[in-house]
Amino acid sequence: MQTNRAIILSAAAAAAAAAATSWYSVRKLSQSSKPLSRPAEEVAQTEPSKVALIVNPSKSGGGDAEEAVARVCAEAGMEAPLVFHTTPENAGQDAARKALDAGCDTIVAAGGDGTIRAAAEVLEGTESTLGIIPLGTGNLLARNVEVPLEDLHTAALVAVRGTVRRIDVGHMKLNLLDGTTADHAFLVIAGVGTDADLFDDTDEEMKSKVGWLAYSQAGLRQLPGRRKRVHFKLSGDSNWQTRKVRSVLFANVGKLQGLDFVPDAKLDDGVLDAVVLSPRSAAGWTWILLKTAFRAKNKIPVMSFYQTSGISLRCAEPMNTQIDGDPTGQVNELEVSVNAGSLRLRTP
């Protein structure tokens, strides 16, 4: 399971973001990440007593992460952390369960957004706290909460002893084409449409070599696609809306690879920000990119925002889906909701 390492996922969430990446590789915007909206004082600040580390061995830097977390624990006079490794068959859920069973109150996930999400799925709703050490390509969650990407020791210090905050966890329930259902948690962004086509189309070998830029190539291939009809209903509404779209995104955070893609999205406001993208052509994608890059306040017809605690969506024809940059299959129907304040996360 790979998180966006091409984004932080979801930035590209629409080929808009894919186009954005191409532009971003030439000119990096300097923006500060949005702070969490609730003060840290509202969450009990406790020192960890037993730490576990979940490492994705496929990511570069896994061994260094183990050394850094062990050093932080030793400096704090704590016992050495328990270490678990993910496998191709299990992205970290089993490791997180073993850590909970062992009595660990702080569980650190070292990997990409997929590894972090897998651990969060198990820790959601518990009193154990998640720490993160970004080793992926996109590292979207880490970027949004300002966990350092280049300083491994500081990242480990934050992951073990940082400020504890409660954040929201999104859920996307899918009715898959084979008649089965699936419920996936997400921390960054989920989507249906072109954004999911992009992640499904990205070459994994190229991504391992050039990182986030691999999404640009896939994005350019996806830009010429056509819009598809969807019907959606926001939580609390009785009427369905009908739109022809390229993507519908469900954002828990707003900053994607330096672009403030969903300006009002916050990790702990108890709502998701749904973004409906409906460009007809490359010109429409350019319009979206310019609005995002320059943080224009004006509304544009090809990009609509909704804040909601839940949304139901039906597709007139099958559409691909993704969570935090991982493809999750084709659907005709899905439901998205948010579990407010259900995850304890250590941040700077």
Side-chain angles (χ1 to χ4, degrees):
M1 177 189 282
Q2 301 225 11
T3 141
N4 345 302
R5 210 170 179 171
I7 159 166
I8 271 164
L9 144 273
S10 267
T21 27
S22 301
W23 175 86
Y24 179 68
S25 64
V26 178
R27 176 189 174 191
K28 181 176 180 179
L29 293 179
S30 122
Q31 302 176 11
S32 61
S33 60
K34 300 182 90 56
L36 300 178
S37 57
R38 297 189 186 108
E41 292 72 29
E42 292 186 8
V43 181
Q45 300 300 307
T46 57
E47 286 292 312
S49 60
K50 191 172 185 178
V51 175
L53 173 64
I54 300 171
V55 180
N56 184 340
S58 71
K59 304 298 183 184
S60 175
D64 293 335
E66 292 187 32
E67 292 179 8
V69 172
R71 189 182 315 122
V72 169
C73 290
E75 291 170 351
M78 299 168 56
E79 63 182 78
L82 300 180
V83 178
F84 303 92
H85 292 98
T86 67
T87 66
E89 296 74 32
N90 191 280
Q93 293 92 337
D94 285 353
R97 293 186 188 99
K98 291 177 182 177
L100 286 180
D101 290 343
C104 297
D105 54 23
T106 292
I107 299 174
V108 179
D113 286 311
T115 304
I116 292 167
R117 184 182 66 252
E121 287 179 351
V122 176
L123 299 188
E124 180 184 4
T126 75
E127 288 305 306
S128 290
T129 304
L130 176 67
I132 60 177
I133 296 181
L135 301 180
T137 301
N139 301 313
L140 289 177
L141 181 62
R143 293 175 190 271
N144 276 270
V145 297
E146 295 188 313
V147 171
L149 304 182
E150 306 298 334
D151 185 343
L152 199 57
H153 181 74
T154 300
L157 182 61
V158 170
V160 174
R161 307 188 68 191
T163 299
V164 179
R165 297 181 184 271
R166 286 194 176 273
I167 68 169
D168 304 334
V169 177
H171 282 267
M172 185 161 70
K173 183 178 181 180
L174 308 174
N175 290 336
L176 299 168
L177 299 185
D178 63 4
T180 62
T181 62
D183 189 338
H184 297 285
F186 64 93
L187 301 176
V188 179
I189 192 166
V192 55
T194 300
D195 60 301
D197 296 338
L198 180 152
F199 289 117
D200 192 52
D201 188 34
T202 299
D203 183 83
E204 290 297 322
E205 183 178 354
M206 178 176 291
K207 188 169 70 170
S208 67
K209 294 179 179 178
V210 301
W212 175 237
L213 292 179
Y215 289 84
S216 299
Q217 185 184 65
L220 293 175
R221 289 195 296 269
Q222 296 299 330
L223 287 178
R226 63 183 179 84
R227 301 188 302 173
K228 296 182 179 180
R229 188 182 303 275
V230 301
H231 312 278
F232 65 91
K233 181 175 65 172
L234 304 179
S235 178
D237 289 353
S238 57
N239 297 323
W240 290 79
Q241 300 186 45
T242 300
R243 298 278 296 274
K244 286 185 176 181
V245 307
R246 293 297 303 278
S247 283
V248 182
L249 309 175
F250 315 103
N252 197 34
V253 300
K255 187 178 179 183
L256 305 173
Q257 289 293 29
L259 295 173
D260 207 1
F261 190 62
V262 191
D264 293 330
K266 294 182 176 66
L267 270 169
D268 62 352
D269 58 2
V271 298
L272 294 173
D273 289 68
V275 186
V276 178
L277 302 176
S278 54
R280 296 175 180 268
S281 63
W285 287 120
T286 301
W287 200 358
I288 291 170
L289 172 59
L290 292 175
K291 172 180 170 57
T292 301
F294 294 102
R295 291 179 282 180
K297 300 296 184 182
N298 59 300
K299 296 181 180 179
I300 59 176
V302 294
M303 187 180 193
S304 303
F305 296 88
Y306 303 86
Q307 285 196 326
T308 181
S309 61
I311 184 170
S312 300
L313 185 143
R314 299 170 182 167
C315 314
E317 56 186 289
M319 297 176 71
N320 278 321
T321 60
Q322 62 85 17
I323 53 166
D324 292 356
D326 289 328
T328 45
Q330 288 194 325
V331 301
N332 284 122
E333 188 173 356
L334 60 82
E335 294 181 359
V336 180
S337 60
V338 62
N339 196 356
S342 59
L343 179 68
R344 292 167 57 93
L345 178 71
R346 289 197 182 272
T347 64

